[in-house]
Amino acid sequence: MRLPADEFLKTGAHMEHCANLSLGPWWTWAEEVEHSPPEHIPFDSFGRRCDVIRTHGSWDQLKRAAAVEGIVATAYDRSRGAFARLHQMGLLFLFHPSSSFFSCPLAMTDGAAKVMELLGTTPRQKQAFKNLTSRDPQMFWTSGQWMTEKTGGSDVSLSRTEANWEGTELRLTGEKWFTSAITADMALMLARGPAVDESGHRELCLFYGEIREPAVGLASGLNGLTVKRLKNKLGTRALPTAELSLEGMRVESVGELGQGVKKISTLLNITRMYNSVCAISHMKRALDWLEGYAEVRTVFGKKLKEQPLFRRNFEQLQKVYTDCFLLTFETSYLLGRDECGEATDEERRFLRILTPIVKLYTAKRCVQVCSEVVEGFGGLGYIEDFPVARFYRDAQVFSIWEGTTSVLALDFLRAFQKENGGELLRSQKVFSLPSSGVQNFLQEMATLSANDGLAEEAVNLAFEFASLITGSLVLPA
Ligand code: MFK
């Protein structure tokens, strides 16, 4: 619908190729990885610290495939304008459900690439951009994004990890509590910079570091860090999420020291879009299984798919998915336009407001849809022989990492105010919205604001906003 004919042909042919991979080798590799989760080997046979993360060979195959198919790199072909991002998100849509969450390191890789593209100044950071966006499996790097500490993941102002000068080098000391995925080659991380005045105040800064730096002198070859353990998680068990101790990790500042949250928000906005695309493709795969099952399952004398109650429920789930799909890909299009400087001022502001909305909305819907799919399978859905149980466990992460529903709803309110969302909605310049719906929404916001009730209703308002936008989007016939 958004692609002109030549772009449609180019993107379509590649998507078809990747759809076959998604139902073929990618799925096989993902299943192998799921059945051989990563292991942390802290010491070698001689008792020396080695911190090896042992993963199944298929984890490397998925990394290789991601490089070759350009699942990150495609977005950085600036000659294609906004269509590059649409093509890339289409590839991610096909990759994610057959990747055992290799999509997670790709999310952070893409976010880091964008930060390096915009803010990377040192030779290492410029080289990192080339590695992160390479299609050559030998060159391709993935990145981590290290924010969360023991003090929590939402309020990063509580971060304690510190950077100090050692001669001309910056070294980090502290702990990172939840870092996906430790098989990465580099990471962007938030930490407190060196003290800026006599009071000892340290500003939050964004740092760049490579994971392996044998010159730092650890027997493990890691860059001044120790893997304390891999996390024991509800889902995403194939993903090596680690708890780290940083003991003199050599890093560089990204740009001038300071403004860490603002700088990492560039990365967060990309990972939040990845989260959304992965959430919709996750629900699509789950729905496809249910549809397939309903074709073969006979119950009370009829195929399940012919049972009226099943049919109605399934249609409603499909509608939820379609709304989420349209919302996510319209926002990806705005992202693409913004990235290549084509976006109007109204589109840029809408993108800022929509990003937290799309993330929170698709994540919550994904959990609901996957729960319904498990139920649709009945008892078979509840046992781990079928992937639907795993998909349900995995779905829960979408509404937690990269900002919980509450955090994102509050971000939406801040962005709505800062970008003058009322004027944007009324202008009708980005989406054609029913004027009665716009009026009702703005009236509700005004009343809540007057009663100091905006924060309390933030999640409801975010869902109403999402419904207002999805109500205006239709699939072309
Ligand atoms: C399948 C894909 C999955 C990918 C998985 C990756 C796994 C990785 C696991 C994780 O690391 S999960 C950790 C995720 N953590 C978060 O997402 C943090 C959640 N918390 C927030 O998002 C808070 O809202 C936030 C930390 C940003 C609040 O911090 P502050 O310091 O109170 O920020 P503030 O004051 O609101 O904003 C500081 C500046 O940044 C402001 O700019 P100005 O200084 O110019 O006013 C903001 O406008 C700007 N900013 C904040 N968020 C922004 C943003 N700008 C653009 N976009 C945003 N989203």
Side-chain angles (χ1 to χ4, degrees):
M1 145 166 95
R2 287 287 185 191
L3 297 173
D6 60 329
E7 280 291 343
F8 183 77
L9 281 179
K10 194 181 334 175
T11 303
H14 191 202
M15 295 276 290
E16 199 169 330
H17 166 71
C18 288
N20 288 324
L21 294 173
S22 185
L23 298 177
W26 295 351
W27 175 252
T28 307
W29 294 331
E31 282 292 286
E32 282 166 355
V33 169
E34 289 293 343
H35 290 103
S36 303
E39 268 182 276
H40 174 214
I41 318 289
F43 299 102
D44 70 11
S45 315
F46 302 99
R48 288 171 305 203
R49 191 87 204 183
C50 64
D51 281 327
V52 167
I53 306 298
R54 189 178 288 156
T55 52
H56 192 278
S58 292
W59 187 247
D60 298 328
Q61 292 285 18
L62 288 162
K63 179 178 180 185
R64 202 185 151 75
V68 170
E69 300 305 336
I71 292 170
V72 173
T74 301
Y76 291 84
D77 181 354
R78 297 283 178 239
S79 67
R80 295 176 64 196
F83 305 123
R85 184 52 87 180
L86 273 184
H87 181 172
Q88 179 274 323
M89 287 297 185
L91 297 179
L92 177 67
F93 179 88
L94 295 170
F95 184 73
H96 164 74
S98 293
S99 79
S100 229
F101 276 80
F102 200 89
S103 46
C104 167
L106 295 187
M108 298 181 286
T109 300
D110 199 329
K114 186 146 173 204
V115 173
M116 293 293 96
E117 183 185 43
L118 295 174
L119 302 174
T121 49
T122 68
R124 275 176 182 251
Q125 293 172 21
K126 288 185 172 174
Q127 181 57 42
F129 175 72
K130 291 185 187 152
N131 291 105
L132 297 168
T133 55
S134 176
R135 291 168 189 265
D136 174 353
Q138 302 301 322
M139 262 191 84
F140 179 55
W141 276 11
T142 59
S143 178
Q145 159 207 345
W146 301 351
M147 297 173 71
T148 304
E149 301 193 1
K150 276 185 190 161
T151 45
S154 296
D155 182 0
V156 297
S157 69
L158 301 175
S159 302
R160 293 185 188 139
T161 298
E162 289 182 355
N164 288 298
W165 289 108
E166 233 179 81
T168 54
E169 286 179 358
L170 282 165
R171 301 277 188 148
L172 280 194
T173 309
E175 289 184 335
K176 290 289 170 185
W177 178 250
F178 193 94
T179 61
S180 304
I182 191 57
T183 43
D185 301 278
M186 59 161 276
L188 292 183
M189 58 213 93
L190 274 188
R192 303 212 160 271
V196 286
D197 54 31
E198 283 174 3
S199 75
H201 176 68
R202 291 166 175 268
E203 244 189 289
L204 268 183
C205 303
L206 182 62
F207 294 101
Y208 162 90
E210 291 167 26
I211 311 276
R212 275 159 282 279
E213 279 221 37
V216 170
L218 291 189
S220 63
L222 296 178
N223 176 8
L225 62 97
T226 306
V227 179
K228 294 176 87 173
R229 56 179 164 162
L230 292 184
K231 294 298 205 184
N232 184 8
K233 294 168 289 174
L234 170 69
T236 67
R237 290 182 185 161
L239 185 63
T241 303
E243 190 181 322
L244 305 176
S245 170
L246 310 182
E247 299 135 2
M249 180 174 190
R250 185 153 62 181
V251 294
E252 292 179 344
S253 175
V254 177
E256 297 287 311
L257 286 164
Q259 294 210 308
V261 172
K262 198 171 169 70
K263 286 177 188 162
I264 208 163
S265 68
T266 298
L267 185 158
L268 287 179
N269 289 335
I270 294 286
T271 51
R272 287 172 182 171
M273 285 310 299
Y274 265 68
N275 204 87
S276 312
V277 171
C278 295
I280 59 172
S281 72
H282 206 83
M283 26 179 150
K284 175 68 176 138
R285 184 64 62 88
L287 285 170
D288 286 348
W289 273 313
L290 183 56
E291 192 171 19
Y293 180 62
E295 293 269 347
V296 295
R297 165 79 170 145
T298 299
V299 61
F300 300 119
K302 274 188 193 163
K303 291 245 171 92
L304 182 57
K305 71 167 188 181
E306 288 156 4
Q307 294 286 357
L309 187 49
F310 174 87
R311 225 176 35 229
R312 194 184 66 173
N313 194 23
F314 190 76
E315 280 165 11
Q316 283 169 347
L317 296 175
Q318 288 279 24
K319 167 85 172 80
V320 169
Y321 159 71
T322 305
D323 284 350
C324 288
F325 178 92
L326 290 169
L327 183 65
T328 303
F329 273 91
E330 281 294 340
T331 312
S332 301
Y333 179 62
L334 293 181
L335 172 64
R337 284 180 61 76
D338 184 49
E339 287 179 315
C340 61
E342 288 173 4
T344 61
D345 180 55
E346 287 85 4
E347 287 174 327
R348 184 198 56 69
R349 286 157 58 206
F350 234 117
L351 174 65
R352 173 67 186 96
I353 295 171
L354 269 182
T355 305
I357 290 285
V358 177
K359 194 283 190 184
L360 74 85
Y361 190 74
T362 54
K364 267 284 201 259
R365 294 296 188 228
C366 181
V367 178
Q368 290 161 354
V369 167
C370 289
S371 167
E372 289 291 332
V373 167
V374 166
E375 197 173 331
F377 271 76
L380 280 184
Y382 197 69
I383 56 175
E384 296 271 352
D385 297 359
F386 283 93
V388 289
R390 182 178 89 224
F391 262 55
Y392 176 48
R393 283 191 286 100
D394 287 346
Q396 187 62 60
V397 83
F398 290 123
S399 62
I400 296 176
W401 64 14
E402 299 310 316
T404 60
T405 308
S406 306
V407 166
L408 289 162
L410 294 171
D411 185 50
F412 156 67
L413 285 185
R414 276 194 301 270
F416 193 87
Q417 276 154 359
K418 192 167 172 181
E419 305 295 347
N420 197 352
E423 189 263 323
L424 262 185
L425 288 179
R426 281 191 218 96
S427 77
Q428 304 277 1
K429 282 194 178 148
V430 182
F431 295 100
S432 299
L433 303 169
S435 48
S436 59
V438 168
Q439 264 175 10
N440 290 344
F441 181 77
L442 294 179
Q443 181 58 51
E444 189 181 353
M445 281 200 98
T447 310
L448 286 167
S449 180
N451 299 332
D452 216 9
L454 275 178
E456 198 178 322
E457 289 299 321
V459 171
N460 288 336
L461 285 168
F463 271 75
E464 282 169 35
F465 188 85
S467 301
L468 187 61
I469 307 293
T470 55
S472 71
L473 303 173
V474 277
L475 267 185

